[in-house]
Amino acid sequence: IIYPDALFIHIIRDGRKVVRSLSASYTKGFGWAGKDIKERTQLWVNLVNHGLNIKNFLPDRYLEIKYEDFYKYPIQTFENIFDFINLKFDKKVLKPLAVPHADPITKNIVINPRYFFVNNNKAPRYLDANWPKEWTKENKKDFLEKGGQLMKKLYPDLVLE
């Protein structure tokens, strides 16, 4: 190991959202993002599995965070990260989140920063069973064929239809 004291924080995001984002990247000229849903889903699966392999080899130096938890439980999520890296947590680190954030694809504000400070556990539902609106039945089938098993492993309570 090059960095024997390294810690690994693996942030995992709903594969459908990743694949949707990769589609936008591909249309902007990033060929590595995959030319279709199958390639993009396989890229997501490969990258997530690579991170999960680190968990198998270095479990005491690995922390898994669901991307959606930054929205659902921001304070608790950051506390967990700071605890893992052995630093004292201070809510001041959340100050940059006081600025509304936009979805890079739709340019819409996707989260109201009040949620981070007023009601930690009532942020908008971010992980849900909704598919990207622009996806066809074939796109959904392709995603589930390549990534369905990993989605079920990562999000066992999520029902994908």
Side-chain angles (χ1 to χ4, degrees), residues 34-139:
K35 69 179 185 317
D36 57 29
I37 298 283
K38 287 181 182 181
E39 283 187 13
R40 294 174 191 129
T41 304
Q42 190 62 57
L43 176 60
W44 172 75
V45 167
N46 292 346
L47 292 172
V48 170
N49 280 331
H50 182 70
L52 294 174
N53 284 335
I54 293 171
K55 176 182 179 179
N56 293 333
F57 290 109
L58 303 167
D60 57 326
R61 296 183 13 219
Y62 173 95
L63 177 66
E64 186 173 292
I65 299 286
K66 295 292 190 335
Y67 180 88
E68 298 79 19
D69 288 345
F70 283 109
Y71 290 88
K72 289 170 54 180
Y73 315 107
I75 294 172
Q76 180 184 351
T77 301
F78 278 102
E79 285 175 337
N80 290 343
I81 292 170
F82 274 65
D83 184 53
F84 178 68
I85 62 176
N86 203 26
L87 289 176
K88 184 178 182 279
F89 175 75
D90 186 327
K91 285 186 181 181
K92 290 177 187 174
V93 300
L94 297 176
K95 191 172 183 177
L97 299 176
V99 177
H101 290 79
D103 178 322
I105 294 172
T106 64
K107 308 290 189 248
N108 294 325
I109 299 299
V110 294
I111 189 154
N112 184 328
R114 281 182 306 192
Y115 290 111
F116 286 102
F117 302 99
V118 176
N119 203 344
N120 187 32
N121 292 324
K122 298 237 177 162
R125 187 173 63 167
Y126 195 76
L127 178 69
D128 56 38
N130 296 328
W131 291 90
K133 292 176 183 163
E134 67 275 12
W135 282 19
T136 65
K137 286 183 181 180
E138 187 69 23
N139 293 150

